[in-house]
Amino acid sequence: MAEKVRIFDTTLRDGEQSPGATLMHRQKMLIAKQLAKLNVDVIEAGFPIASEDDFLAVKEIAETVKGPTICALSRAIPKDIDRAWEAIQNAKNPRIHTFMSSSDVHLKYQFKISRKEALQMSIEAVKRSCSYCKDVEFSPMDATRTDPKFLFQMVEAAIDAGATTINIPDTVGYAQPIEFGALIKAVIEHVPGIKNAVVSVHCHNDLGLAVANSLEAVRNGARQVECTVNGLGERAGNASLEEIVMNLHIRKSIFNCSTGINLRQLYPSSQMVTNLTGISVQRNKAIVGENAFAHEAGIHQHGLIADSQTYEIMNPEMIGKTTKLVLGKHSGRHATKKVLAEMGFNLTEQQLKQVSQKIKQLADKQKTVLEEDIIAIASDVTRQLVQEKRRIELDEVRVNTGNKVKPTATVTLMIDGKKKTAQGKGVGPVDAVASAIQSMLPERISLKEYHLKAITGGTDALADVVIKVQNGKGNVYNAESINEDIIMASANALVKGINKALASKKSKSRA
Ligand code: KIV
Ligand code: ZN
């Protein structure tokens, strides 16, 4: 009988710590609801002490998202734990996750405390958490660079204090699979109380081994894996949820473990996270990358036509990826709604109306409207509506460009309700538009990155522009926009990014 491995999703906490992935409250709600559909066991909804925004988002998720356990992160500090509990107390199944560093390098240089003090703080944090909630997780941070004897001592003390899950993090992504598997085995063998707790792992991907390390941990007795959709997370990210789940599923005979994940929601979840964070996955990413099921070589195509098993160990339908022409000029609202729901978009009537209109407009211009176009349109509409505060609206853009003139742009913006016009020059028309927009802003916001891709082939393709802007405090914000016109996609993306930067009050402390 296969044993269950719990999937603990930390997209909204560690994933949101990805540089540039800051999510707004309503975007977090959309992702949390999608995670419930995916049927993850635990949603780590945020770090409530970090900011008022985080607190409110965790609270709303705890109060409205049904199914998974809702977890909040806290340092081993009383005010963090109290705030975490305040945020999740109304969840049906709440969990407090508290952590304290265990490695000498962290204790000496970051915390400037002794092992004894760290141990005492951990015990007190777990006890305080248990006074609120029966489900308490404890993490000895930087476990893989900790003296194993001290690690066992800290884990035993946390279990004695009441922790029900012990999470072993590879915080800096340093471990190799063979070592990490051995560490999990050693924790199970050397900590007598471990039978009273679930062993969890949380691996970072600095050396590209987060998934391999997590799987090796499962082979050695871990029964919870912490991971994120698309592998988002601090620095090089966390273990990717879709890769963990599909490895456990496709190679069941190796692991003899199963998850409760609804596989068909893997691709829609990945698409939603890509679209709402503005962080795309690489084309050749396992499971959810654009090329993951694309076969180019003639010999492979020939084999596939004969029998898909020749070159496919799983098929796209399994993860909810359908590759067909879905909607067009004559598609009704119901069909649009159904197709979008299958793709992971549960739209309001207002959003649906906007998406249907845009699909029809595009179908008038292009012969075919492909799935990629529809996802892009729906994401764009969702993003527009989740953008909570827009201080700046784009009113008009005019450009003058060619091979014998210096590109110039005249842009009119509505800034806090007042119309303003400015001209800009640049090396190209997009640059000219950007300089005109930037010259009118109430504070300095610079364009850090600009990426352009055509969603489908042809000169009439939708242009997808992804940008990063940075405010004076050094915070970076992503934005994306699609349009048939490259200049308009660029201008809209820039205005979206600027609105995000202007709306954000925070410079938050991170775990
Ligand atoms: O990477 C890490 O150690 C963490 C802890 C808070 C679990 O994210
Ligand atoms: Zn982490």
Side-chain angles (χ1 to χ4, degrees), residues 10 13-14 17 44 73-74 97-99 106 137 139-143 167-172 202-204 226 234-235 238 511:
T10 182
R13 200 277 297 167
D14 213 321
Q17 290 179 214
E44 187 164 52
L73 184 70
S74 73
H97 176 192
T98 186
F99 69 99
H106 277 207
E137 174 168 330
S139 293
M141 188 155 80
D142 203 19
N167 180 44
I168 306 295
D170 183 22
T171 304
V172 291
H202 174 111
C203 297
H204 279 271
E226 301 198 356
E234 189 80 45
R235 306 181 309 279
N238 288 73

Side-chain angles (χ1 to χ4, degrees), residues 124-198:
E124 279 163 22
V126 172
K127 283 192 174 156
R128 192 175 188 96
S129 305
C130 290
S131 73
Y132 289 128
C133 178
K134 62 181 189 325
D135 187 351
V136 172
E137 174 168 330
F138 175 74
S139 293
M141 188 155 80
D142 203 19
T144 49
R145 294 192 300 167
T146 300
D147 169 3
K149 281 207 189 92
F150 182 58
L151 179 67
F152 304 151
Q153 195 186 353
M154 200 182 233
V155 167
E156 181 72 25
I159 296 172
D160 280 350
T164 46
T165 298
I166 292 295
N167 180 44
I168 306 295
D170 183 22
T171 304
V172 291
Y174 178 69
Q176 296 293 307
I178 192 167
E179 279 176 318
F180 195 60
L183 181 65
I184 298 306
K185 191 161 182 254
V187 168
I188 294 172
E189 278 171 7
H190 290 92
V191 177
I194 203 80
K195 52 190 170 309
N196 303 319
V198 172

Side-chain angles (χ1 to χ4, degrees), residues 216-253:
E216 198 52 22
V218 170
R219 277 195 350 102
N220 283 281
R223 289 296 173 261
Q224 175 178 282
V225 175
E226 301 198 356
C227 45
T228 56
V229 174
N230 295 343
L232 284 182
E234 189 80 45
R235 306 181 309 279
N238 288 73
S240 131
L241 182 148
E242 52 282 357
E243 293 177 27
I244 298 284
V245 168
M246 289 311 281
N247 271 282
L248 294 175
H249 181 76
I250 299 287
R251 303 306 309 273
K252 205 177 262 161
S253 60

